[in-house]
Amino acid sequence: MDLFAFVTASQASPVLVFIAIMVGTFWLLSLISQRNSQAEERLERIGRPKSLAELEINDHESQNRFKGLKDQLSKFGAAMEPQSDLEKNSLKVTLANAGFRHESAPAIYQGLRVACLLLFFVPSALFFFMTMGFGMKALQYVIAITGIGFYLPQLILFFLKSTRQKEIFVTLPDALDLLVVCVESGLGLDAAMRKVTDEMKGHAKVITEEFALANLQLQMGRPRREVLHDLGVRTGVDDVRALAAILIQADRFGSSIAQALRVQSDSMRTKRRQIAEEKAAKTAVKLIFPLVLFIFPAVFVVLVGPAAIQIYRNLILKANPGAGG
């Protein structure tokens, strides 16, 4: 007699889902623990003192821990990678706005989308097809869950991008004020950016990271115009783009950078005051819905309830005079 005759679909589906999850987890762990064999290089380093380059290699071993997983995700995402240059640049800019600036970031992102699609599709397909059969209703559930898995990395990326841009928007006025003070005290733009990075790295990590990267590019010999333009593109914040444009114009026409920064600081402060006034003006409109839905019904019951009870009693007494006795 067939073995599967004793097992119903409702009993077999949890086992299959558990097996699928375990196989996927084992596959991910095997990719994480994968290492490239470097036995010959390690044997060569045993007999001689460690140089600076070797120390740097050892320092980067922890960063290369997920190298195998990144390579596999890059292979998965190769099929979904955009073909046109415009789409590639748009995806790179979006990832840079979220803080992912590595060259392989687009391929890894697409690979994560494929991996999430498979991780959501396989368990849901096993569960619904085994419990509900191969019907249209089960297929709709599987498609819905698979769609959630496919768009989940995109939603997470949008959340990371919005959070990072909001942090830059909040911390930029303080950084700009400190930059104005440094430039007006006689420091150059490079030294002022370095000073801002040192002073604000404890509570404004994102904006100081961007300034540090821009300062590093300036030290490597890139033109200031390109560095400032890339700074505005990487952040994706309008205020940073405006700041970069003003600094580029000041550098091109030879005007005072301190004066340009002072004008931008005043403009940014005025913009934030207008945003605060706009939010304050919207408060009254936003309070209408909770007032109408939650507060006014309670107030209506408290005020009109006793009067309605009295009116009801008086009407009953008038209609039935003998009821009062």
Side-chain angles (χ1 to χ4, degrees), residues 288-309:
I288 291 177
F289 297 100
L291 285 173
V292 172
L293 295 177
F294 301 104
I295 298 177
F296 283 169
V299 173
F300 182 79
V301 170
V302 172
L303 296 178
V304 182
I309 294 174

Side-chain angles (χ1 to χ4, degrees), residues 317 320-325:
L317 292 176
N320 300 317

